[in-house]
Amino acid sequence: DLGVAVVADGMGGHPGGDIASRIAAERAAQHLAEAVETWIAPSSPDGAAEFIDHFRPVMTDAVIGAHRAVRQEVEAQPDLDGMGTTLTAMVLSPASGAWIIGHVGDSRAYRLRAGTFTQLTRDDTWIQDQIEQGVMQPESAKLSPYAHLLTQCVGLEDSPTPQILDGAAVAGDRYLLCTDGLVGMLD
């Protein structure tokens, strides 16, 4: 109802991935919901720009706050050290159509517009770095045993630098936030 969506996917093969994803998703969703509930949409024609300017730092705080919440759980339960999660969150302003996304990891956000499916986020993976450097082709990347090696996530010692993206929705747009389990089935 508030225009807030969050997906988090715990890192497999590490302790507490399910715990990290639950904590991160709950913390980010709570932070964003509180910000949306207190947001007073401007009546000016530049409402979309004001929304984006206001929610850019809010989204960053939501992602970093989720990271800190996971780290606090590690401090409370040291046996969970090494747990981490991806996080992709979106806030959409129904009044202006503006949206903002915060992203860390290899879960993704997509937009379906006029029959075209577009990936909005960039994967924080070693493979993506290799593709961008021209070392590897996207087709061979899918077969790599390192396809899901994250370069940053929520919950490990180093604080992530989230991608913050924004844009404007048009009538008929559909948005999908999903984990790598679905991503592996998409071209």
Side-chain angles (χ1 to χ4, degrees):
D1 292 348
L2 298 173
V4 175
V6 177
V7 64
D9 185 21
M11 293 181 353
H14 295 268
D18 58 330
I19 296 168
S21 62
R22 179 185 47 79
I23 291 169
E26 288 174 358
R27 175 68 175 97
Q30 176 186 15
H31 184 82
L32 294 171
E34 289 170 0
V36 168
E37 287 176 335
T38 60
W39 167 250
I40 298 172
S43 57
S44 70
D46 206 19
E50 289 181 39
F51 172 85
I52 290 169
D53 288 346
H54 177 79
F55 276 94
R56 182 170 283 280
V58 169
M59 184 60 78
T60 301
D61 289 347
V63 175
I64 299 303
H67 172 75
R68 289 184 183 133
V70 172
R71 293 302 305 160
Q72 286 174 345
E73 188 66 21
V74 169
E75 289 175 20
Q77 296 187 58
D79 58 314
L80 294 176
D81 191 30
M83 74 174 174
T85 184
T86 67
L87 181 69
T88 303
M90 181 178 193
V91 177
L92 175 70
S93 166
S96 68
W99 54 262
I100 192 153
I101 293 173
H103 168 77
V104 174
D106 65 353
S107 290
R108 291 182 179 171
Y110 289 92
R111 178 185 60 220
L112 178 61
R113 176 180 284 170
T116 301
F117 209 43
T118 304
Q119 180 180 338
L120 300 173
T121 53
R122 176 199 178 277
D123 292 347
D124 291 318
T125 61
W126 180 83
I127 288 289
Q128 185 63 42
D129 290 347
Q130 297 301 299
I131 292 169
E132 290 173 4
Q133 294 170 18
V135 175
M136 186 174 284
Q137 295 301 311
E139 301 78 36
S140 60
K142 287 184 179 184
L143 304 174
S144 172
Y146 305 110
H148 298 290
L149 182 62
L150 298 176
T151 55
Q152 68 170 353
C153 70
V154 168
L156 293 183
E157 288 183 28
D158 293 336
S159 185
T161 303
Q163 298 170 47
I164 306 295
L165 312 159
D166 60 70
V170 299
D173 278 359
R174 300 282 189 261
Y175 294 87
L176 172 68
L177 277 57
C178 62
T179 67
D180 64 343
L182 180 60
V183 166
M185 303 173 112
L186 301 172
D187 290 332

